[in-house]
Amino acid sequence: MRRTVAAAFVAASLLVSPGAGAQGEDLAARIDRARVEDPAAFRSLRALVERVGAAPLRADRLRTLAGELRVLGEGGLYPMLALLQPGAKELAAVREAHPARAARLEALLLDAVGRLRDPAAIPTLRAALVRDEAEVAQAAARGLGRMCRDEDVAFLAANGSAAATEGLGFCRTVAVGRLLRERLHGDRLAAVRAAGQWGSSWAWQALGPEASAASAAVRSEMVRDLVAGFPAAEGELARAIVRAILLLDRPETPALVEALRAQAPEAATQLRARWERAHRKR
């Protein structure tokens, strides 16, 4: 069953590749039209890039810039995409002088674009997924995950990178949950992080009772897998498993941890302590 799910996603990715090219062909024309219709938005973003080039991007500035970009809403889509195109001079100047700063700004732009869930951004997001800068690739993957169309899931599934796996966690469908359970046996850290993101109890509740009920079985299976995998985990992987279990917040978690005690008593004690401590802080 798991192999069937993965194979279906990969096959779908091969079928939809031409569509992505077609979207990319008219993006430049859409950007040019938006530049004429709303030149102020483009000027505003150029000024933002200049500010980034003039001063370091510390944590507080990153939060401020992320908020400014989200406030732009749909009206900021094409101005942001214009900055993200390979030939964009504004960002190229920052990249030449401050490569790390430029990568952080690109990640912010990609994150803001992805949150709009507009298919016009797909070629840009796909291109950014293969970038060397981890934060850029991760932001692109999150955007594609949020699109959550069959072809976007297929593209991420076929990519196979850690960023792409984590991006899958932003598409909350039962099929993606099953795929992530399969990934728990491969690149485990990325898959565990994605599993926590995908299985967030709060997010499923926000999708409504029908969606939450439909995914409940897979979320329960995922928690069972995570608990079973904890004894062999160390370091960041162990911490990621605890976070994922906390996000999933399944009612059977305490019983699963206690059942683990028969096979791995020390690990069960450690997991219960970590989970309870994290739960209190929540």
Side-chain angles (χ1 to χ4, degrees), residues 231 255-269:
L256 289 171
V257 174
E258 283 307 306
L260 181 66
R261 197 174 299 281
Q263 293 81 33
E266 185 177 342
T269 298

PDB file of all heavy atoms in Angstrom, residues 231 255-269:
ATOM      1  N   PRO A 231      12.952   4.832  20.982  1.00  0.00           N
ATOM      2  CA  PRO A 231      14.098   4.206  21.647  1.00  0.00           C
ATOM      3  C   PRO A 231      15.390   4.247  20.840  1.00  0.00           C
ATOM      4  O   PRO A 231      16.479   4.312  21.403  1.00  0.00           O
ATOM      5  CB  PRO A 231      13.624   2.764  21.876  1.00  0.00           C
ATOM      6  CG  PRO A 231      12.141   2.870  21.972  1.00  0.00           C
ATOM      7  CD  PRO A 231      11.776   3.933  20.979  1.00  0.00           C
ATOM      8  N   ALA A 255      -1.108   5.919  26.714  1.00  0.00           N
ATOM      9  CA  ALA A 255      -1.178   4.452  26.707  1.00  0.00           C
ATOM     10  C   ALA A 255      -0.078   3.858  25.833  1.00  0.00           C
ATOM     11  O   ALA A 255       0.507   2.815  26.171  1.00  0.00           O
ATOM     12  CB  ALA A 255      -2.549   3.996  26.214  1.00  0.00           C
ATOM     13  N   LEU A 256       0.222   4.502  24.723  1.00  0.00           N
ATOM     14  CA  LEU A 256       1.280   4.018  23.842  1.00  0.00           C
ATOM     15  C   LEU A 256       2.645   4.092  24.526  1.00  0.00           C
ATOM     16  O   LEU A 256       3.475   3.185  24.386  1.00  0.00           O
ATOM     17  CB  LEU A 256       1.299   4.837  22.544  1.00  0.00           C
ATOM     18  CG  LEU A 256       0.136   4.610  21.585  1.00  0.00           C
ATOM     19  CD1 LEU A 256       0.164   5.654  20.460  1.00  0.00           C
ATOM     20  CD2 LEU A 256       0.187   3.204  20.993  1.00  0.00           C
ATOM     21  N   VAL A 257       2.861   5.175  25.260  1.00  0.00           N
ATOM     22  CA  VAL A 257       4.129   5.330  25.975  1.00  0.00           C
ATOM     23  C   VAL A 257       4.257   4.254  27.053  1.00  0.00           C
ATOM     24  O   VAL A 257       5.329   3.659  27.236  1.00  0.00           O
ATOM     25  CB  VAL A 257       4.239   6.739  26.585  1.00  0.00           C
ATOM     26  CG1 VAL A 257       5.496   6.849  27.443  1.00  0.00           C
ATOM     27  CG2 VAL A 257       4.261   7.798  25.482  1.00  0.00           C
ATOM     28  N   GLU A 258       3.185   3.978  27.758  1.00  0.00           N
ATOM     29  CA  GLU A 258       3.225   2.945  28.794  1.00  0.00           C
ATOM     30  C   GLU A 258       3.445   1.567  28.183  1.00  0.00           C
ATOM     31  O   GLU A 258       4.164   0.732  28.745  1.00  0.00           O
ATOM     32  CB  GLU A 258       1.927   2.965  29.604  1.00  0.00           C
ATOM     33  CG  GLU A 258       1.864   4.108  30.605  1.00  0.00           C
ATOM     34  CD  GLU A 258       3.086   4.141  31.519  1.00  0.00           C
ATOM     35  OE1 GLU A 258       3.389   3.097  32.152  1.00  0.00           O
ATOM     36  OE2 GLU A 258       3.755   5.182  31.570  1.00  0.00           O
ATOM     37  N   ALA A 259       2.845   1.319  27.025  1.00  0.00           N
ATOM     38  CA  ALA A 259       3.031   0.018  26.356  1.00  0.00           C
ATOM     39  C   ALA A 259       4.484  -0.158  25.916  1.00  0.00           C
ATOM     40  O   ALA A 259       4.994  -1.294  25.858  1.00  0.00           O
ATOM     41  CB  ALA A 259       2.106  -0.077  25.148  1.00  0.00           C
ATOM     42  N   LEU A 260       5.158   0.954  25.610  1.00  0.00           N
ATOM     43  CA  LEU A 260       6.564   0.896  25.211  1.00  0.00           C
ATOM     44  C   LEU A 260       7.453   0.398  26.350  1.00  0.00           C
ATOM     45  O   LEU A 260       8.526  -0.175  26.114  1.00  0.00           O
ATOM     46  CB  LEU A 260       7.026   2.292  24.760  1.00  0.00           C
ATOM     47  CG  LEU A 260       8.465   2.451  24.287  1.00  0.00           C
ATOM     48  CD1 LEU A 260       8.708   1.660  22.994  1.00  0.00           C
ATOM     49  CD2 LEU A 260       8.786   3.930  24.070  1.00  0.00           C
ATOM     50  N   ARG A 261       6.987   0.589  27.572  1.00  0.00           N
ATOM     51  CA  ARG A 261       7.795   0.255  28.750  1.00  0.00           C
ATOM     52  C   ARG A 261       8.181  -1.232  28.789  1.00  0.00           C
ATOM     53  O   ARG A 261       9.255  -1.586  29.286  1.00  0.00           O
ATOM     54  CB  ARG A 261       7.039   0.642  30.019  1.00  0.00           C
ATOM     55  CG  ARG A 261       7.907   0.719  31.264  1.00  0.00           C
ATOM     56  CD  ARG A 261       7.105   1.252  32.438  1.00  0.00           C
ATOM     57  NE  ARG A 261       6.607   2.594  32.200  1.00  0.00           N
ATOM     58  CZ  ARG A 261       7.351   3.697  32.326  1.00  0.00           C
ATOM     59  NH1 ARG A 261       8.628   3.586  32.680  1.00  0.00           N
ATOM     60  NH2 ARG A 261       6.832   4.889  32.098  1.00  0.00           N
ATOM     61  N   ALA A 262       7.342  -2.076  28.236  1.00  0.00           N
ATOM     62  CA  ALA A 262       7.633  -3.513  28.260  1.00  0.00           C
ATOM     63  C   ALA A 262       8.857  -3.859  27.416  1.00  0.00           C
ATOM     64  O   ALA A 262       9.614  -4.772  27.751  1.00  0.00           O
ATOM     65  CB  ALA A 262       6.422  -4.300  27.764  1.00  0.00           C
ATOM     66  N   GLN A 263       9.058  -3.136  26.308  1.00  0.00           N
ATOM     67  CA  GLN A 263      10.190  -3.408  25.431  1.00  0.00           C
ATOM     68  C   GLN A 263      11.411  -2.528  25.744  1.00  0.00           C
ATOM     69  O   GLN A 263      12.555  -2.958  25.602  1.00  0.00           O
ATOM     70  CB  GLN A 263       9.808  -3.193  23.950  1.00  0.00           C
ATOM     71  CG  GLN A 263       8.794  -4.179  23.391  1.00  0.00           C
ATOM     72  CD  GLN A 263       7.369  -3.811  23.778  1.00  0.00           C
ATOM     73  OE1 GLN A 263       7.044  -2.634  23.903  1.00  0.00           O
ATOM     74  NE2 GLN A 263       6.543  -4.828  23.974  1.00  0.00           N
ATOM     75  N   ALA A 264      11.150  -1.278  26.138  1.00  0.00           N
ATOM     76  CA  ALA A 264      12.253  -0.336  26.357  1.00  0.00           C
ATOM     77  C   ALA A 264      11.917   0.557  27.544  1.00  0.00           C
ATOM     78  O   ALA A 264      11.506   1.706  27.381  1.00  0.00           O
ATOM     79  CB  ALA A 264      12.479   0.512  25.100  1.00  0.00           C
ATOM     80  N   PRO A 265      12.061   0.051  28.758  1.00  0.00           N
ATOM     81  CA  PRO A 265      11.640   0.801  29.948  1.00  0.00           C
ATOM     82  C   PRO A 265      12.343   2.144  30.120  1.00  0.00           C
ATOM     83  O   PRO A 265      11.710   3.132  30.474  1.00  0.00           O
ATOM     84  CB  PRO A 265      11.969  -0.156  31.105  1.00  0.00           C
ATOM     85  CG  PRO A 265      12.930  -1.156  30.549  1.00  0.00           C
ATOM     86  CD  PRO A 265      12.598  -1.283  29.097  1.00  0.00           C
ATOM     87  N   GLU A 266      13.643   2.181  29.867  1.00  0.00           N
ATOM     88  CA  GLU A 266      14.374   3.437  30.034  1.00  0.00           C
ATOM     89  C   GLU A 266      13.902   4.476  29.027  1.00  0.00           C
ATOM     90  O   GLU A 266      13.674   5.640  29.360  1.00  0.00           O
ATOM     91  CB  GLU A 266      15.875   3.192  29.878  1.00  0.00           C
ATOM     92  CG  GLU A 266      16.711   4.437  30.166  1.00  0.00           C
ATOM     93  CD  GLU A 266      18.195   4.157  30.087  1.00  0.00           C
ATOM     94  OE1 GLU A 266      18.588   2.973  30.157  1.00  0.00           O
ATOM     95  OE2 GLU A 266      18.969   5.118  29.964  1.00  0.00           O
ATOM     96  N   ALA A 267      13.737   4.053  27.773  1.00  0.00           N
ATOM     97  CA  ALA A 267      13.266   4.972  26.740  1.00  0.00           C
ATOM     98  C   ALA A 267      11.849   5.449  27.038  1.00  0.00           C
ATOM     99  O   ALA A 267      11.514   6.626  26.827  1.00  0.00           O
ATOM    100  CB  ALA A 267      13.315   4.291  25.373  1.00  0.00           C
ATOM    101  N   ALA A 268      10.995   4.543  27.534  1.00  0.00           N
ATOM    102  CA  ALA A 268       9.619   4.921  27.864  1.00  0.00           C
ATOM    103  C   ALA A 268       9.591   5.963  28.965  1.00  0.00           C
ATOM    104  O   ALA A 268       8.823   6.939  28.898  1.00  0.00           O
ATOM    105  CB  ALA A 268       8.827   3.683  28.273  1.00  0.00           C
ATOM    106  N   THR A 269      10.429   5.798  29.975  1.00  0.00           N
ATOM    107  CA  THR A 269      10.492   6.769  31.066  1.00  0.00           C
ATOM    108  C   THR A 269      10.959   8.130  30.555  1.00  0.00           C
ATOM    109  O   THR A 269      10.412   9.174  30.910  1.00  0.00           O
ATOM    110  CB  THR A 269      11.448   6.268  32.162  1.00  0.00           C
ATOM    111  OG1 THR A 269      10.943   5.042  32.685  1.00  0.00           O
ATOM    112  CG2 THR A 269      11.568   7.292  33.280  1.00  0.00           C
TER     113      THR A 269
END
